[in-house]
Amino acid sequence: LFWMKIAVIGQSLFGQEVYKELKKDGHTIVGVFTIPDKDGKADPLATEAEKDGVAMFKFPRWRVKGQAIPEVVAQYQATGAELNVLPFCSQFIPMEVINHPKHGSIIYHPSLLPRHRGASAINWTLIHGDKKGGFTVFWADDGLDTGPILLQRECDVEPNDTVNTIYKRFLFPEGVKGTVEAVRLIAEGKAPRITQPQEGATYECIQKKENAMINWNQTAVALHNWIRGNDKVPGAWAEVDGQKVTFYGSSLVDNGTAANGQPLEIPGASQPGIITKAGLVLFGNDGKALLVKNLQFEDGKMIAAAQYFHSGSSAAVELTEEEKTFAEQMRAVWQNILTNVSQIEDSTDFFKSGAASMDVVRLVEEVKLRASSCQLQNEDVYMNTTFIDFIQMCVRKLRGEDGEEELVVDYVSKNINNMTIKMPHQLFINGEFVDAQGGKTYKTINPTDGTAICDVSLAQISDVDKAVAAAKEAFEEGAWGKMNPRDRGRLIYKLANLMEQYQEELATIEALDSGAVYTLALKTHVGMSIQTFHYFAGWCDKIQGSTIPINQARPNRNLTFTKKEPIGVCAIVIPWNYPLMMLAWKTAACLAAGNTVVLKPAQVTPLTALKFAELAARAGLPKGVINILPGSGALVGQRLSDHPDVRKLGFTGSTEIGKHIMKSCAVSNVKKVSLELGGKSPLIIFSDCDMDKALRMGMSAVFFNKGENCIAAGRLFVEDTIHDQFVMKVVEEVKKMKIGDPLDRSTDHGPQNHKAHLDKLVEYCQIGVREGATLVCGGKQVQRPGFFFQPTVFTDVQDHMYIAKDESFGPIMIISKFKGSEVDDVLKRANATEYGLASGVFTRDISKALYVSERLNAGTVFVNTYNKTDVAAPFGGFKQSGFGKDLGKKNCYC
């Protein structure tokens, strides 16, 4: 291996990244040859080279009338380059330059040569419907992309890929790596020169707007490929209603699905298109269908295709004379507010021109003064920031045409628990319920009887990328990022109220999907979720920094202060024991701080999260703020951990997975992490306790929510003098517990969440018996349909045993004795665990209670109570139970 003198000839971000990686590899960049500045702005490659002090050349051309310009060639030759690297180059480079270096010249091309030679290779890969795409690094010769192949890499072309998606997913990141790898092979003397085959060679023209017109006499697949092959550049277009309309976001449609909507005549099409709630359905000459999501008009305005026939959604609303007068009045209002702007144009952006939250209030009130029937909310201004959009919105309201865009939900409905529950089952991305990439689904199971509830969309990596992109755009460019904290709090409070309105339905879905007893789901799973959103709604306008006295404050009048800023896109990965409540604990804090969210519910319990998404949309949260992705941890969770645009990840789950996530977050982009992991919470019961209370709370500490509780008392230490009495009373109470249907109001103990967990509990008890612990009662699966497990009690559990150290996460009480005179010894035993989530002590002696609670190594210590979490109290653990806190005023993701 040796390091070479390299000339980089090209442009763009791609060229910039190749340049940076070549420098990292130790090569000397002797010259960068790029395009001249455009509108006073340098190309990214030029900017990077200039920063490094590398010799830079911006020749407008290399040849005149087919002949190399001698002065240009001379300047190039003076650099002494040993290799030319052309990562992306739009200029014609003369052979005097190509052949000059000792090692020649290599070029990156975004297709699998010899297929798709020419400048629009990515477009044509999609237009031809290729199943495989990729790139080639080849040795330059005097032909057009005909030189010998040095290196190729291929990828699958997804059915709905666009130029943008395949470029971002593969051709850009892997292309940079491949180009740099090609240089390494040259440096090592291992670079091949494989002659391109003649068979399969194609050359296509450059795709420009004028030749991107749609030919409707094709099959649906061919139309789909043409539209996506031109998406976003140059854009496939057709004449519709006398104007040029460009089509974006094409996907193929299941032809078994009937399209209901309003017909749209398209000249030349085999049949009219149909404007539906999902978009514009188009038809090929084979009668099959495709769906287009977005349309763009000649004036540059882009709309959702579903809104084509809505006033103000296609061409601008034609104003009456009275409305024109109103518009000019509002133009004067904007001028008075935006004093720094010389003239209010239709394109003037309210916030980019310097408006603040107080100006929003003033603008809303000014509208009321001039048109009392136009009742605006602050968020209407945040969502219509240019003057023309603002006027169009006001006029639609004045005309009574401002109906909210209808949320399209494909429900699964069930009549159960004396009500009809309506459950969304698709992914929720950017304010819409959508199918997963490739239409992939899985069945979510009712643990009460083991039957399937419904098919749920199974998110793929491309779906994660779409959700993160939507969340990023909502944070950086959307209404959420512009909204003042009080308005944000009002929307969160509205969401909480809507959850309260639907609490019985949410609790029923929770019972159906997770096995939670309905009354507990109503009070805790759903009830505390509502409380959490109410609580954090109040914190939105109270997140503040501080002013710090510094040594240099006087005499120079220096001031130092801190601000708490939102992080950005937050990923949340939650467990299956409290599906809605875990969502609420993390999501509410994210939203309060002004972040956006991509949440992966547990794969086995997705339904309340999807219902929550519906309620969030109906509450008016802007698109992209909340995204819900049911799917596997290995795929969705891993991609969220790795994603460079995710800035924080909050996870509740096992310690093993938490460690893996922490590592992935560190390696990817050092994103912030908060982890609430496993626990083996000790509960110490002294003989001087209130026995009835200790019994009642001790039972709850273990059996609450079927033992599927992160802070469950994993081990009880009972003083020897009351041990036998305590065990006897526990067994009596266990025998009274009713095991059964969680929707039955008299049920105490519902099914375990899923089959794999039930099997784990059976194995856990078998280990305890083999180790010599005494199984007092339970320990087996209940013989009935579903995933039911008997409430279980073990005594005579010794410190070395597996069940004394490992978390069961089920309804299993582990009891050990201790002597009342050996307080420090029982503390040592209680702390002899790698976990530190929660703990508890029961005693009437306040001094003893304080002594013990100070010495228990846990994030929460309960004294003469248990399971008493509250939205205002921070919650989190020590040691391998994780770090970071949920709930409380300091848990806003800033």
Side-chain angles (χ1 to χ4, degrees):
L1 178 67
F2 63 92
W3 290 271
M4 293 181 289
K5 296 178 181 178
I6 295 175
V8 177
I9 305 174
Q11 63 206 70
S12 78
L13 287 170
F14 186 88
Q16 179 190 48
E17 288 302 309
V18 169
Y19 163 86
K20 287 160 64 176
E21 293 301 315
L22 290 174
K23 287 204 71 177
K24 282 184 188 176
D25 263 15
H27 300 292
T28 301
I29 309 300
V30 294
V32 165
F33 298 83
T34 188
I35 57 176
D37 296 354
K38 187 175 182 180
D39 298 327
K41 187 176 181 181
D43 183 82
L45 174 57
T47 302
E48 194 70 28
E50 187 175 28
K51 185 170 65 177
D52 294 337
V54 171
M56 185 167 49
F57 306 86
K58 299 180 182 180
F59 302 135
R61 64 185 61 84
W62 294 70
R63 305 185 304 176
V64 173
K65 296 181 180 180
Q67 300 298 313
I69 302 171
E71 297 84 358
V72 169
V73 173
Q75 288 185 63
Y76 159 76
Q77 291 175 342
T79 64
E82 299 169 330
L83 174 70
N84 292 332
V85 176
L86 286 72
F88 173 75
C89 184
S90 61
Q91 296 176 311
F92 287 98
I93 310 301
M95 293 307 297
E96 290 89 336
V97 172
I98 293 294
N99 293 330
H100 178 76
K102 177 170 65 174
H103 298 291
S105 302
I106 61 170
I107 303 176
Y108 166 88
H109 185 77
S111 79
L112 298 173
L113 292 174
R115 193 161 171 78
H116 306 309
R117 293 169 176 161
S120 297
I122 311 175
N123 304 78
W124 289 102
T125 297
L126 299 174
I127 291 169
H128 283 280
D130 293 359
K131 301 299 182 185
K132 295 287 184 181
F135 63 85
T136 305
V137 179
F138 67 97
W139 298 96
D141 65 3
D142 58 358
L144 183 61
D145 304 331
T146 56
I149 294 170
L150 192 163
L151 175 150
Q152 282 188 329
R153 296 287 183 268
E154 72 172 32
C155 67
D156 292 331
V157 179
E158 300 291 340
N160 295 324
D161 260 334
T162 64
V163 173
N164 192 43
T165 61
I166 195 172
Y167 184 69
K168 285 187 174 180
R169 185 180 74 248
F170 185 83
L171 296 175
F172 184 105
E174 297 303 319
V176 171
K177 294 177 187 175
T179 304
V180 175
E181 183 182 345
V183 174
R184 289 188 190 130
L185 291 172
I186 295 170
E188 293 168 354
K190 299 177 181 178
R193 291 176 179 264
I194 303 168
T195 301
Q196 290 192 33
Q198 291 302 312
E199 184 179 355
T202 64
Y203 170 79
E204 293 94 1
C205 64
I206 297 175
Q207 273 305 89
K208 297 180 179 179
K209 195 70 177 181
E210 54 266 29
N211 59 16
M213 184 176 179
I214 299 171
N215 170 17
W216 294 108
N217 189 27
Q218 301 181 79
T219 65
V221 169
L223 289 172
H224 165 64
N225 288 337
W226 183 261
I227 293 170
R228 72 188 182 116
N230 287 282
D231 186 347
K232 294 280 194 215
V233 177
W237 62 276
E239 292 282 342
V240 181
D241 286 339
Q243 61 178 320
K244 186 183 290 186
V245 177
T246 305
F247 297 71
Y248 296 110
S250 173
S251 59
L252 292 171
V253 174
D254 179 2
N255 290 286
T257 304
N260 298 313
Q262 190 170 350
L264 176 66
E265 291 292 338
I266 301 176
S270 59
Q271 58 181 294
I274 301 175
I275 298 293
T276 71
K277 294 177 181 178
L280 170 59
V281 176
L282 301 168
F283 297 92
N285 59 12
D286 56 355
K288 295 183 178 179
L290 60 146
L291 179 73
V292 169
K293 299 290 284 186
N294 297 306
L295 303 173
Q296 188 173 36
F297 298 91
E298 290 179 274
D299 62 1
K301 184 177 180 64
M302 183 178 286
I303 64 163
Q307 300 297 307
Y308 184 85
F309 288 117
H310 290 204
S311 292
S313 293
S314 52
V317 174
E318 285 292 326
L319 304 189
T320 65
E321 289 304 315
E322 185 179 354
E323 289 165 347
K324 288 178 181 177
T325 301
F326 169 77
E328 289 310 307
Q329 290 175 349
M330 296 315 303
R331 195 183 299 271
V333 169
W334 277 52
Q335 190 72 71
N336 289 336
I337 294 173
L338 304 175
T339 55
N340 59 317
V341 178
S342 59
Q343 185 174 353
I344 302 298
E345 307 286 352
D346 284 354
S347 60
T348 301
D349 187 286
F350 195 62
F351 295 100
K352 290 180 180 177
S353 300
S357 58
M358 189 61 214
D359 300 316
V360 175
V361 176
R362 176 182 170 185
L363 183 57
V364 168
E365 293 303 316
E366 294 274 13
V367 171
K368 289 179 183 177
L369 286 174
R370 288 160 179 78
S372 59
S373 61
C374 186
Q375 296 296 311
L376 299 189
Q377 301 296 324
N378 289 3
E379 50 263 36
D380 290 325
V381 181
Y382 289 112
M383 295 181 186
N384 298 275
T385 61
T386 64
F387 182 74
I388 186 62
D389 288 343
F390 176 78
I391 291 299
Q392 293 283 302
M393 177 268 300
C394 289
V395 169
R396 287 197 299 271
K397 284 184 176 289
L398 288 167
R399 293 181 180 183
E401 298 173 353
D402 63 319
E404 293 182 6
E405 184 179 338
E406 184 177 354
L407 179 67
V408 179
V409 188
D410 181 21
Y411 292 113
V412 173
S413 298
K414 289 186 181 293
N415 294 315
I416 191 171
N417 201 25
N418 298 318
M419 68 181 77
T420 299
I421 58 172
K422 300 168 72 175
M423 300 174 288
H425 62 98
Q426 297 167 289
L427 313 182
F428 187 73
I429 299 175
N430 202 27
E432 295 181 307
F433 285 103
V434 295
D435 290 335
Q437 180 69 39
K440 294 191 176 181
T441 63
Y442 70 98
K443 296 186 184 301
T444 185
I445 303 300
N446 180 354
T448 302
D449 58 14
T451 61
I453 302 170
C454 63
D455 289 334
V456 176
S457 293
L458 182 68
Q460 305 300 299
I461 288 177
S462 60
D463 298 312
V464 179
D465 292 343
K466 290 175 187 174
V468 172
K472 183 180 181 183
E473 183 175 359
F475 178 75
E476 294 180 351
E477 304 293 338
W480 194 249
K482 300 169 185 173
M483 199 172 292
N484 76 46
R486 191 159 295 174
D487 291 329
R488 189 165 64 239
R490 191 167 72 247
L491 280 181
I492 296 171
Y493 200 86
K494 184 178 178 182
L495 170 58
N497 288 344
L498 204 55
M499 292 171 69
E500 194 164 26
Q501 181 182 333
Y502 283 83
Q503 61 184 327
E504 288 85 3
E505 185 175 2
L506 286 166
T508 303
I509 297 172
E510 193 91 328
L512 186 70
D513 203 25
S514 75
V517 171
Y518 173 75
T519 50
L520 175 66
L522 195 60
K523 178 183 182 297
T524 302
H525 290 236
V526 178
M528 192 174 187
S529 299
I530 295 166
Q531 292 171 15
T532 304
F533 279 100
H534 274 145
Y535 175 79
F536 279 106
W539 274 111
C540 289
D541 59 354
K542 301 172 186 67
I543 302 169
Q544 58 197 29
S546 59
T547 303
I548 303 172
I550 59 172
N551 290 336
Q552 293 82 19
R554 291 290 185 271
N556 297 324
R557 306 181 67 82
N558 291 319
L559 174 68
T560 299
F561 62 91
T562 63
K563 291 177 63 181
K564 289 187 178 293
E565 299 282 357
I567 295 168
V569 179
C570 295
I572 296 173
V573 180
I574 56 173
W576 42 259
N577 57 327
Y578 293 104
L580 186 62
M581 194 171 78
M582 292 295 98
L583 175 153
W585 281 21
K586 297 183 188 299
T587 302
C590 284
L591 299 181
N595 300 294
T596 54
V597 174
V598 180
L599 181 138
K600 190 198 88 66
Q603 189 170 347
V604 293
T605 54
L607 296 180
T608 44
L610 293 171
K611 187 67 179 180
F612 167 82
E614 178 198 340
L615 298 181
R618 298 198 187 285
L621 270 70
K623 291 182 177 182
V625 173
I626 288 174
N627 304 271
I628 308 292
L629 301 176
S632 73
L635 201 69
V636 178
Q638 185 63 57
R639 179 56 180 155
L640 289 172
S641 301
D642 293 337
H643 204 294
D645 291 332
V646 173
R647 296 301 173 190
K648 175 165 183 177
L649 191 148
F651 171 74
T652 295
S654 72
T655 298
E656 178 186 5
I657 299 299
K659 289 178 178 178
H660 181 80
I661 284 175
M662 188 175 174
K663 180 178 179 181
S664 296
C665 289
V667 170
S668 58
N669 60 339
V670 200
K671 58 176 64 71
K672 298 180 77 170
V673 188
S674 59
L675 303 172
E676 195 247 283
L677 308 176
K680 187 69 174 175
S681 302
L683 175 57
I684 303 172
I685 301 175
F686 288 95
S687 60
D688 63 351
C689 68
D690 178 332
M691 175 61 85
D692 289 340
K693 187 175 185 180
L695 175 67
R696 186 173 68 255
M697 292 292 182
M699 292 281 293
S700 173
V702 176
F703 300 119
F704 189 81
N705 199 48
K706 312 162 290 175
E708 295 170 354
N709 188 18
C710 51
I711 58 172
R715 191 175 181 192
L716 274 64
F717 295 91
V718 181
E719 191 170 339
D720 54 359
T721 57
I722 62 168
H723 173 274
D724 293 348
Q725 178 190 7
F726 182 85
V727 171
M728 180 185 69
K729 288 180 177 290
V730 165
V731 173
E732 288 174 358
E733 293 299 318
V734 166
K735 289 179 179 178
K736 296 177 186 176
M737 294 173 70
K738 179 181 177 181
I739 303 172
D741 183 353
L743 293 174
D744 184 335
R745 304 305 193 265
S746 63
T747 294
D748 300 302
H749 190 81
Q752 304 309 135
N753 186 276
H754 53 280
K755 181 65 165 60
H757 183 53
L758 174 66
D759 294 342
K760 178 192 169 188
L761 295 178
V762 172
E763 181 184 9
Y764 186 93
C765 291
Q766 290 171 348
I767 293 172
V769 171
R770 286 199 301 269
E771 288 187 325
T774 301
L775 178 61
V776 180
C777 63
K780 295 182 180 179
Q781 179 179 352
V782 178
Q783 295 306 307
R784 59 176 292 168
F787 310 141
F788 292 87
F789 187 78
Q790 298 170 343
T792 300
V793 179
F794 277 102
T795 61
D796 302 319
V797 178
Q798 305 304 310
D799 294 351
H800 68 276
M801 293 180 177
Y802 172 82
I803 64 173
K805 296 182 290 184
D806 196 76
E807 181 181 25
S808 71
F809 212 66
I812 302 173
M813 183 177 283
I814 307 295
I815 304 176
S816 300
K817 293 180 184 178
F818 75 93
K819 292 183 179 181
S821 60
E822 298 176 351
V823 175
D824 288 332
D825 181 67
V826 75
L827 280 168
K828 182 178 178 181
R829 295 170 68 192
N831 288 328
T833 172
E834 277 301 303
Y835 301 111
L837 190 56
S839 60
V841 55
F842 279 84
T843 176
R844 283 191 172 96
D845 185 336
I846 188 64
S847 297
K848 188 189 297 180
L850 292 172
Y851 182 87
V852 170
S853 61
E854 287 175 2
R855 287 161 178 77
L856 284 168
N857 298 330
T860 300
V861 182
F862 297 106
V863 178
N864 292 328
T865 189
Y866 210 88
N867 281 333
K868 299 299 181 185
T869 53
D870 188 270
V871 294
F875 179 91
F878 298 159
K879 299 187 286 188
Q880 291 198 44
S881 287
F883 52 83
K885 301 292 183 184
D886 288 326
L887 307 177
K889 67 179 182 180
K890 292 188 178 179
N891 181 37
C892 286
Y893 283 39
C894 301

